[in-house]
Each structure stands twice: as C-alpha cells, then as structure tokens.
Amino acid sequence: MGGADWSMNDMKDYWQPGKVGIQQKYAEYYRYNNPYFMSYEWLRGHYQNNEYGYLSLNYKLNNEVDFQFRPSMTAYDMMNNEKLPYSAGVYGRELRQGDYREDRRSQFETNEDLQVRYHRNEIAGFLDVQAVGGGTVRNQTFNSDYTSTNYLNVPGIYNFANSLNPVTGISYRSSMLVLSAYYSLDLGYKSYITANITGRVDKSSTLPSNTNSYFYPSFNLASVISEYVHLPSAISFLKVRGSYASSKSGGTSATFSPDITGTPANGYGYYWASPYNGPAYLFSKTYTLSPTYNNQVSAAYTDVVISNNIQTSERKAYEAGLDIRFLNNRLGLDLTRYHYKNTGIVQQLTSQASGYSGYRTNGDGYTNDGWEAVINGTPVSHKDGFSWNVTANFFTFKRKWTDYVSKPDNYEKNGARVDLVYDDAFVRTPDGKMVIDPQSGVYLRYSDVGTSAKKVYGHSDPDWQWGVINTLSYKGFSFRFQFDGMVGGVIEDNVRKKTLQAGRHTESATGALGAARPSDEANVAAYTGDGVVLTGTNGIQLDPINGNIVNMKDLNETKNTVKSQVQPFVTRAASIPDLDIVKKTYAKLREVAITYKVPNKVFGKRTIISDASVSLVGRNLLYFFPDKYKDLDVDQYSQSVYSVGNNGKYSATPSSSSGLQTPTTRSYGININFSF
C-alpha cells in the first residue's frame, strides 16, 4: 500500500477520530503493521484488590491462665488481561490476527483461632512451665476463570464478542476446610536446661477419608553446661542442643497458575503465580473437561490410580549442635549437624493394558545430611576507639536417594546422589580427542552411535558454601564489607548454549569459526572441526554405561578433514551439555557499606530524634568467575528447586541448567536512617 511510504508523523496526524477516506485506511493499515503503533497496542494489565481483617480478644482468668480468641480473614480479587494486536507474531498464532485474554482469580479465607495459655515459675521450687493449647478452623474458597479469544474478527476491538472463532476458557474451583488442634509445652530448670514439646493434628477436607488426619510433633532440648559445670577459664560459655521435628504438606500448593496448554494463549504472554496454599487434589480422582471432536466439550475420567494408603509428603528433621565462646566472648563457634529424611509423592508407570497410565503413591524418599558452622570473633575491641568484628559462616550438605521408585537406572537409584548431573555426551578417544562424524563433519554423540550410555558431569549441589563479614569501626564511623561464594558443583551455561544455537555467540564469529562463517551464506562447507575420524569394520562400540570406546584397538584413527558449515557445527556442539558444563565455584564482594553515626548533640536537647546515621552502600561490586563464562551468574542457581509436578510427583530437582539472564548488576545507594 502507498501508506507504507508515509512518515511516522504523517500516520499520527491522520490517525484521529472523525477522519475518513483513503487516508484513514492507510493509517489503519500502518497502525497494525508498524512497530511504533504495535508498542501502544500490545498491552498487559494487572488489577488486584486485597482485603485483610484481624481481631484479637483476650481474657485473663488469673495470674496463671488466660484465653485468647483471634478471628481473621484475607481475600483478594485479581484480573490480568493481555491485548495481542494484529500483525504481532508469536508462537502458535501464525495468522497474526490478534487475540485478547482475561485471567480472573479470587480467594477468600477465614481463620478462627482459640488459645488457652498457662504460665507459672518455680513449681516445687525449681520448675518453670509455660503451656499453650488451642484449636483453629480454616475455611478457604478459590475461583479462577481464564478466557481467551481465538483470533479477532475486527482489529483493535478487545472483547470476547469480537472473537473470530469460538471463545475458549478454563475454570477452576476449590474449597477446603481444615480443623486443627495443637499444643506447646516449655519446661525450664532455672537457666540450666530447657525443653520444648509441640504437637499439631490437622484434619483436611481435601484428603482421602482414611488418611485425612495427620499429626506432626517436635521436641527440643537445650542445656547451658557452663552454668553448672566448672570449665577452663578460656571457655566463657558452652551450650548444647538437640531437636526433632516432623512437618507435612497437607496436600496443598503454595501458588496457583491456570493450565492454559489447551488454549490459543499458550504460545504467548506470561504465567502469573498468585498466592494460593489451597488443595492440589493429588489424592483425588477427578474429571477433566475439554473440547474434543468438532469442539464438543467432553468429560474424561482420570487415568491415574491413587493408592488407598497414600499419605502427604513429609520431612523428618534431626538436629544437634553446640554454641561455645572463648576469651570473655571474644571468639565464638556455633556448630550444627543435621539429618533430614524426606518422603514424597510419586507417579509410577503402569501397563497401558490396565487402562491406566500411572499409579500415584508415596516414594522417592531421600535424605539430606549436612553441617553448618558460624564463627564470630572480635580481634580488636576498644570502647571509644578502633574495633574489628568478623563473622564467618560455612555449610555443606549431601542428598541421597533412599526410596527411589520412579524409574531406577544406572544413575538414579537408592544410594545415589539426588543432585547427580548426567546426560548424553560426545564420543572421545581414550586420550581425549573429539571424534568427528565422517559424513557431516560435526561432533559424534553417544546417542548417534545408538547407545543409551550417559556421562556423569558431577553434582549440582556445591561441595560447600561460605561467607565472611568484616566490620571495622572507629568512633562514629564504620566500614562493613562482605564476601561470599561457593566451591564445587556443576551447571550448564544455558546462555552460551542458546547463543551458540542462534549463531549469536562471539565464539562462532571469531577465530577459525569466524573466518569460515561467511561461506554459510553461500551454503558452502568451509570449517574443519578439530578432531579425529574413527573407522573400522564393526564401527565404534561404546560401553553401555559410561560411554567409553571398548574396541579402540579395532579402529583406524585419522585426523579429521571433513568440512562442515559453521552453524551446523556450533549447533551440534551446543546440542547437549557436554561443552557447556561449568563449575559453580565463585566468589563475590557482596556488599560494602560506609556508615557515619551522627552525634546526638547535633540535634540539641529538645529533639525528638534519638539516633541518626548516613550510609553509602554498594552491592555485587566484584564477581570472581572464569572470564569465558561471565555471561552467567551462578549465584542465582545455588539452590535446588522442590516442586510438585503436574503428574503428582514430588521432586527435588537440582539446578543443573541456568536460565537465560542478563549479567550481574551492580548497585549503589545511600541510606539515611532516623530513630525517634
């Protein structure tokens, strides 16, 4: 159209109410085919109202007993919408005729809690007692409606009546009633020894009737040994402690996002996770409503069998530790040893001849064993002069399968590490040379040879993590800086992987790859990969577990001379984690703060200001990591992700692959604090 030659200002001038004729049509065309206008049309809205209410009533019966009643309510109403304009190209919407969608959610929850509390000291002359008993009634309802057009009939009209094809939608409703009773008992013998015992029993309406009640207790014991045992003068304080606690999930999910996989909106937009903490219905046999032939709505009964004895996922935690201080508390050590035993929920595969696809039960149990240490020290201390305080922490842990039932193999099985990272790999000679496919000129993978062997790259959990905080003070000034980091663990650099696959990485544009890349435009193979070609009568044979070549003596090794195009070569190189795996070892100058405490006399005697300070703060100032991989901030992937998948499996998924991210961001700021 001729309007394509108009300037941007011409389009804005002609796009006015009341303008008609050919100019208006040109402007209309340009509006839906020009990024300038599209940026004003592709809009997302988020609207939310939150309501909270809380009341506390107390009645004191006497000096030892009192009652408390606390009713509360929380609610939110939320609406997200998205306007996809004509000509906007997204995955799954190839016609580019626009769309509109709305995501509406509402939740209402009430809690009524009644407590009776008892407190008395020196019973029988030595025992201090504090006890709490009570009950809670939790009632929750949740509603979600997700609606989307299926292309727009008229451009720029964003409502469901303007849908070109039938509107699609998903509704979700849930309700839950939980009745709870709990107790807590604290016992103390002077300052020598203390004990705490708690327990709670919940009964949930969303769990199977035969297992809808579950109890979780805890026990804690601590003793200050230095109060009653004569210790060497160098030891100022010594305390030992031990605890046990059980926690259960209750079959709930912390957040909610609608499943839009069957709607036109699946290929674009974003997924908003809202607070939920409602039933996940993992233990229920449900129907799924969805369009089938000719868009007729049908109901499909679940094809998953639920165990009659299934229980909620559980963690049992055992801890022991000590707190010891030396030299009049100038040096202290807090040491903790812990052992966690986790029982999850798993969906096992079943024979399709049974008419079902899976069997949901308890399983995939694993342990987590670790150590934690915190050291505090004051090398220099002067009341009105210079002082120096150091705090350092260290922790390490290992997770191992104890009841792995999902799909045991040579790598994931009882006794193996939960965070094991393994995958397909490239074939290498015993002395480490890369093997090239003589047909295509690219690297040869285990899977290309027809074996299921995997390469173990390591573990995603770090060997240990650490942090050090130093604080230097002199009169009204203080200087605080913190270093931290971790050692060990591996991760796949997904940034490098994706930029190589897209032909955007600097490695594929420099050196020998860069010199050969222009030939890709002419469809000419000009790059010779560094490696060897192996030939033999029976081909390459690999060990079915570790992927090592087992018939090397029967193969002829020659230097590779087969050329390939650059993009296919780097795409193959990034097709598996082998060449993108990096160690997580790093260190960061996490924070630096310079603070000046303003003397009180500055504000005079009648001021309402009791304290004031000014601080200059910088964060993420230095990042120590191999230069080759500084597109990746491994600090964001130091923890594992625990989740319940759509198949009902409770998993502890290690962070073995990074996401796509921007580089680490430094920040600088000033803090001004006043206390009144």
Side-chain angles (χ1 to χ4, degrees):
M1 295 182 65
D5 297 325
W6 291 9
S7 70
M8 198 72 71
N9 289 329
D10 291 335
M11 291 301 101
K12 290 190 289 183
D13 291 340
Y14 276 103
W15 187 256
Q16 297 175 13
K19 288 248 181 180
V20 294
I22 189 66
Q23 295 93 341
Q24 178 73 14
K25 292 181 180 179
Y26 284 163
E28 215 172 275
Y29 168 82
Y30 216 74
R31 181 187 187 194
Y32 296 111
N33 290 273
N34 190 288
Y36 176 85
F37 290 102
M38 197 176 297
S39 64
Y40 287 92
E41 291 288 330
W42 195 339
L43 302 176
R44 295 171 178 170
H46 175 74
Y47 311 90
Q48 183 166 336
N49 295 315
N50 296 284
E51 298 85 32
Y52 307 93
Y54 178 86
L55 180 66
S56 180
L57 302 174
N58 294 273
Y59 175 72
K60 188 173 183 179
L61 182 64
N62 52 46
N63 291 332
E64 298 173 351
V65 180
D66 66 273
F67 297 87
Q68 183 180 65
F69 178 58
R70 297 179 297 179
S72 65
M73 61 79 61
T74 60
Y76 70 78
D77 293 279
M78 182 182 71
M79 196 275 277
N80 298 322
N81 65 356
E82 183 160 359
K83 301 174 181 179
L84 182 69
Y86 256 61
S87 300
V90 294
Y91 292 117
R93 312 303 290 157
E94 287 78 10
L95 296 184
R96 300 193 175 199
Q97 291 180 248
D99 263 312
Y100 176 67
R101 69 182 194 178
E102 287 186 1
D103 177 4
R104 296 180 179 270
R105 305 177 209 174
S106 64
Q107 179 171 295
F108 183 81
E109 179 177 325
T110 61
N111 284 271
E112 290 84 31
D113 180 69
L114 178 64
Q115 282 187 3
V116 55
R117 298 179 293 195
Y118 173 80
H119 175 73
R120 186 176 177 183
N121 292 333
E122 297 186 354
I123 299 176
F126 70 94
L127 184 63
D128 299 335
V129 177
Q130 183 171 323
V132 175
T136 302
V137 177
R138 180 187 176 209
N139 206 329
Q140 182 205 58
T141 58
F142 180 83
N143 297 286
S144 169
D145 291 291
Y146 192 98
T147 311
S148 174
T149 61
N150 195 348
Y151 292 122
L152 298 179
N153 196 28
V154 178
I157 306 298
Y158 298 102
N159 61 50
F160 300 122
N162 188 38
S163 183
L164 179 63
N165 300 310
V167 172
T168 61
I170 297 173
S171 296
Y172 180 85
R173 306 284 185 268
S174 70
S175 60
M176 181 173 65
L177 176 65
V178 180
L179 305 178
S180 305
Y182 59 88
Y183 63 84
S184 175
L185 178 63
D186 290 293
L187 304 173
Y189 173 54
K190 297 182 179 180
S191 58
Y192 298 158
I193 188 169
T194 59
N196 172 260
I197 304 170
T198 70
R200 183 182 180 103
V201 59
D202 290 347
K203 184 173 183 178
S204 174
S205 63
T206 63
L207 299 177
S209 57
N210 61 324
T211 58
N212 63 357
S213 295
Y214 49 96
F215 173 70
Y216 41 104
S218 73
F219 309 93
N220 298 273
L221 186 66
S223 178
V224 182
I225 296 177
S226 56
E227 289 286 335
Y228 54 87
V229 174
H230 181 70
L231 300 173
S233 59
I235 300 177
S236 313
F237 178 85
L238 176 60
K239 177 181 178 180
V240 295
R241 62 184 184 274
S243 66
Y244 163 81
S246 171
S247 59
K248 299 186 178 181
S249 71
T252 61
S253 179
T255 60
F256 175 85
S257 291
D259 181 6
I260 64 172
T261 52
T263 72
N266 186 46
Y268 72 96
Y270 65 100
Y271 298 89
W272 184 275
S274 61
Y276 178 54
N277 201 26
Y281 295 112
L282 294 177
F283 311 133
S284 304
K285 298 178 180 179
T286 59
Y287 285 90
T288 301
L289 304 176
S290 61
T292 53
Y293 176 73
N294 201 26
N295 281 326
Q296 294 296 312
V297 177
S298 65
Y301 190 56
T302 181
D303 60 352
V304 176
V305 178
I306 310 296
S307 169
N308 292 328
N309 299 314
I310 194 169
Q311 304 283 337
T312 62
S313 55
E314 179 183 22
R315 165 175 282 187
K316 294 180 179 179
Y318 305 84
E319 291 191 8
L322 65 85
D323 182 356
I324 184 170
R325 303 169 199 172
F326 304 91
L327 307 175
N328 293 324
N329 298 323
R330 294 280 293 273
L331 178 64
L333 170 65
D334 192 324
L335 187 65
T336 303
R337 174 75 168 94
Y338 60 86
H339 171 81
Y340 300 155
K341 185 177 181 180
N342 305 274
T343 301
I345 298 169
V346 63
Q347 188 164 301
Q348 296 177 287
L349 296 177
T350 60
S351 170
Q352 293 184 353
S354 67
Y356 293 92
S357 65
Y359 176 69
R360 189 170 298 162
T361 184
N362 292 111
D364 282 7
Y366 67 95
T367 58
N368 187 347
D369 289 279
W371 289 89
E372 238 180 276
V374 178
I375 300 174
N376 290 285
T378 307
V380 180
S381 178
H382 192 284
K383 182 178 180 181
D384 299 318
F386 177 73
S387 64
W388 174 24
N389 181 265
V390 181
T391 300
N393 73 294
F394 156 92
F395 67 92
T396 181
F397 63 93
K398 289 183 180 179
R399 297 178 294 143
K400 292 185 178 181
W401 294 115
T402 57
D403 183 26
Y404 188 73
V405 298
S406 287
K407 192 179 178 182
D409 55 24
N410 292 313
Y411 314 97
E412 290 185 277
K413 56 188 177 181
N414 289 341
R417 291 272 295 265
V418 171
D419 60 322
L420 194 68
V421 179
Y422 63 97
D423 208 325
D424 200 356
F426 293 117
V427 180
R428 292 175 172 83
T429 63
D431 56 353
K433 298 186 185 75
M434 301 289 290
V435 177
I436 302 289
D437 179 9
Q439 304 300 320
S440 61
V442 299
Y443 293 140
L444 195 66
R445 300 169 297 198
Y446 291 174
S447 55
D448 299 325
V449 184
T451 179
S452 59
K454 304 294 182 185
K455 179 179 179 179
V456 175
Y457 295 106
H459 304 98
S460 66
D461 291 338
D463 296 333
W464 53 282
Q465 293 179 252
W466 59 274
V468 179
I469 301 174
N470 283 272
T471 304
L472 308 175
S473 303
Y474 179 73
K475 296 185 177 180
F477 290 91
S478 67
F479 175 54
R480 179 179 180 271
F481 60 97
Q482 174 183 344
F483 280 95
D484 58 48
M486 61 184 172
V487 177
V490 298
I491 190 170
E492 182 182 11
D493 185 350
N494 209 35
V495 178
R496 180 176 184 270
K497 177 189 185 78
K498 291 301 181 183
T499 49
L500 280 173
Q501 291 175 338
R504 305 282 293 179
H505 200 284
T506 183
E507 292 180 40
S508 63
T510 57
L513 288 168
R517 179 171 283 283
S519 299
D520 281 16
E521 297 293 329
N523 200 29
V524 174
Y527 179 73
T528 304
D530 184 18
V532 298
V533 173
L534 299 179
T535 56
T537 304
N538 297 320
I540 300 173
Q541 298 177 17
L542 303 179
D543 185 288
I545 297 178
N546 59 32
N548 293 333
I549 300 175
V550 296
N551 65 330
M552 191 66 193
K553 64 180 185 301
D554 301 324
L555 300 174
N556 295 317
E557 178 184 320
T558 58
K559 185 175 179 59
N560 174 54
T561 58
V562 181
K563 297 182 181 297
S564 73
Q565 294 183 23
V566 170
Q567 194 53 42
F569 189 89
V570 296
T571 298
R572 170 60 65 88
S575 63
I576 56 177
D578 199 337
L579 301 180
D580 298 322
I581 288 287
V582 297
K583 287 187 177 297
K584 287 184 175 181
T585 302
Y586 81 93
K588 266 190 179 182
L589 178 55
R590 178 75 57 182
E591 182 176 278
V592 173
I594 302 174
T595 303
Y596 174 67
K597 183 179 179 182
V598 181
N600 293 335
K601 64 181 181 181
V602 172
F603 303 102
K605 295 181 178 180
R606 297 185 178 181
T607 182
I608 62 173
I609 299 174
S610 61
D611 197 11
S613 64
V614 180
S615 301
L616 299 176
V617 181
R619 294 185 176 90
N620 293 327
L621 300 182
L622 294 174
Y623 179 44
F624 301 94
F625 198 63
D627 290 337
K628 183 178 179 180
Y629 301 103
K630 281 193 176 175
D631 53 0
L632 172 67
D633 184 2
V634 296
D635 182 33
Q636 299 184 27
Y637 308 99
S638 59
Q639 302 298 324
S640 297
V641 179
Y642 300 87
S643 61
V644 179
N646 292 330
N647 63 356
K649 176 183 174 181
Y650 181 85
S651 62
T653 306
S655 302
S656 57
S657 177
S658 73
L660 298 178
Q661 60 175 157
T662 57
T664 304
T665 302
R666 295 185 180 95
S667 64
Y668 307 90
I670 181 170
N671 291 335
I672 301 176
N673 297 305
F674 293 96
S675 299
F676 301 93

